Every structure is written in C-alpha cells, then in structure tokens.
Amino acid sequence: MRKTTLLTAAGLMLAGPARTLAQTVDKEIGNADTPFAHNIRPDRPGQTVTTNMLRPGQVQLETGILRFEPADPSLGTRRSLSTALLRVGFFNHIELRASQGYLHALPTATGRPENGVPMPGFPAGFMPLTVGAKFLASTNQDARSQVVVLTEMTLPNGDASFTNKAYEPAARLLISQQLGERFGLEANLGFRQRGFKAADTKVGQYLGTLALNGPLGRSFGFFAETYATWRQTEKLAPGLTSGLYWRPLPGLRLDATAGQGFGGPTNGFSVGAGLSMRVGGNKVTN
C-alpha cells in the first residue's frame, strides 16, 4: 500500500508544475463550442490516451475488436481481442474509468471453428480488470492546451488461464494542443510495473506517444500515431497506428485502424474497429 500511495502522490505532484503549461481560455473566443471541445474524443484506438475529460454526469462507453499477432509465443498464433472501456465523469475535474479485454479462444487442434474452449496451454477469456482515474491539471477544461494526469491499477483477476497475474500500478502524463478549431496534437509519457517492490521498477515498461487527429470532412476524420515502449534492460520498440473515423453525431463515433509494431509487446501487424458512445451530462463552460 505504501508504494501505491507514493505512486499516486507522485502523479498528483506532476499536476502542479504541469498546470503552468496550459493556457486559459478567453471566454469571448468561445472555445468550448468548437468541434474539438464539443465532439466525442475517445481514448481508443491506438496507444495514446486523450486529455479529454468527461463532465459530471456524463458516461462514455468505448468498445472495439483487435486482430493482432502476439509477440509472446505463450499466447499462440494470431489472436482476436475484444475490449471495453467505461468512463464516468465525476466532480472536481475527475474522471473514473474501468477497462477489460476478452481474448478470444484459438481454434482447436483439429482446425474446427472456435467453441469457447482454448487450445491447451493458451490463455483465453476475460483478461485482468484495469481501474483508474484522470485528474485535470489545467486551469480550464476547454483550454486549447490541456494537461491531465492518469493513474491506473491492473488487478490480478480474470480467467484462470491467465497465469502469473499481479497488481500492476501505472501512471501517465497526458498533454494536448488544439490546432485551429478541429485538429489536435496529443502526447503521452507513462510508466507501468508489476508489483510494488523497488526492484520491480527496474523491469517496468515506459511508454511515449505522439498522435495527430483531425477532420477530412464534416463527419469524417483521421487518426495517426507514433509510439515507443522501452525498459531499462531492453531496446526501444517503436510502432505506428493510423485509421479513419466517422462521427454521425457529436456523441457517437465509429473507427477503423491498422498498426505495425517493431518489437516489444506490440510487435507485428494489427487491424481493428470500434464504437464509442457518450450520453448524459449538460455541457458547462468554465
């Protein structure tokens, strides 16, 4: 518990100096009514988590499916992973969140269609649950520049076929800059480790991302991202993700993406599609 407290405190300490990086919105400009601030901005797809914060009473569900090539041989050959993220806007510029994945079973050794039973030795089913919270470090939720702190904890639960489970604390600094009224540049810098011992920090994983998103028309847009993961004892493992999205309503978005990882846990080619929905809560300008 002491290590968890220290990690959370360190994340919150980042919010103090980071607050000075954010600009204050001139209310006469009306930035809260721009498409960038008004439309839904999900935390999927890709590795980048947005600085978007839900307002009190708002609920957002983000679901998707990913077809990927596991870098870990223990996961088997090409797999399909379904994901779901639930986000709830809370008071005092806090957003609560919970996410969980479902790793689909491989076909049986006979090659017959999947029947819900994984091949021996390969995990399948619900993966460990991750809970977390976003904390706004900026002075204004509709500012053109945003700084947000994200803290998460992955729990040692899920299907019994997933072995070597442990508590995994994580933290990220999220930064974004609005370009014009509809484009956005987002960056993440984060760290995740297994367990709470001091030795665990030496084998923890770092993550850095940079993403650009913007419109291609009234309801269509694009997403492009570059990222890299690394450890103290391993080389840099970069990757790319890009895709298109369609937003028929301000609170509804569908997307399709493709990515390529070059080493590390995201090694290989991947394709995915998803749906994000936001409901509830009146939009309030600070």
Side-chain angles (χ1 to χ4, degrees), residues 28-245:
E28 295 180 359
I29 297 177
N31 192 66
D33 294 325
T34 62
F36 185 83
H38 181 64
N39 293 330
I40 186 172
R41 289 165 56 202
D43 285 347
R44 66 165 318 278
Q47 303 291 325
T48 304
V49 176
T50 71
T51 59
N52 173 253
M53 298 278 294
L54 297 184
R55 299 180 181 276
Q58 286 187 327
V59 177
Q60 189 162 306
L61 177 64
E62 304 174 13
T63 62
I65 186 168
L66 181 71
R67 186 73 170 168
F68 68 104
E69 298 175 359
D72 186 350
S74 66
L75 293 177
T77 58
R78 195 160 178 81
R79 305 297 299 267
S80 293
L81 172 66
S82 296
T83 59
L85 168 63
L86 179 65
R87 301 168 53 187
V88 180
F90 201 65
F91 297 97
N92 297 323
H93 299 298
I94 297 174
E95 178 188 299
L96 305 179
R97 25 193 306 123
S99 61
Q100 189 167 33
Y102 182 89
L103 188 61
H104 296 265
L106 283 166
T108 62
T110 60
R112 290 179 295 178
E114 297 180 3
N115 58 3
V117 178
M119 292 178 62
F122 295 107
F126 284 104
M127 301 178 69
L129 175 70
T130 298
V131 295
K134 280 182 177 179
F135 303 91
L136 182 68
S138 306
T139 57
N140 190 300
Q141 198 160 337
D142 294 314
R144 296 178 62 85
S145 298
Q146 292 285 2
V147 180
V148 171
V149 174
L150 169 67
T151 60
E152 291 183 309
M153 177 69 72
T154 299
L155 308 178
N157 55 9
D159 192 270
S161 60
F162 291 94
T163 59
N164 301 321
K165 291 177 285 190
Y167 286 101
E168 298 184 19
R172 289 196 197 192
L173 182 65
L174 320 176
I175 302 173
S176 70
Q177 174 62 52
Q178 183 177 329
L179 307 176
E181 289 191 353
R182 304 183 67 184
F183 289 86
L185 193 64
E186 308 255 8
N188 288 185
L189 180 61
F191 178 77
R192 174 183 296 275
Q193 70 179 58
R194 290 173 55 86
F196 305 108
K197 298 179 180 179
D200 296 328
T201 62
K202 297 181 180 180
V203 293
Q205 178 176 284
Y206 294 87
L207 170 69
T209 77
L210 182 64
L212 176 68
N213 62 83
L216 294 174
R218 184 177 180 86
S219 300
F220 289 90
F222 74 93
F223 166 89
E225 168 195 68
T226 179
Y227 64 88
T229 61
W230 68 95
R231 303 177 190 271
Q232 293 184 15
T233 58
E234 296 180 5
K235 295 181 179 180
L236 203 68
L240 302 170
T241 311
S242 62
L244 301 172
Y245 66 82

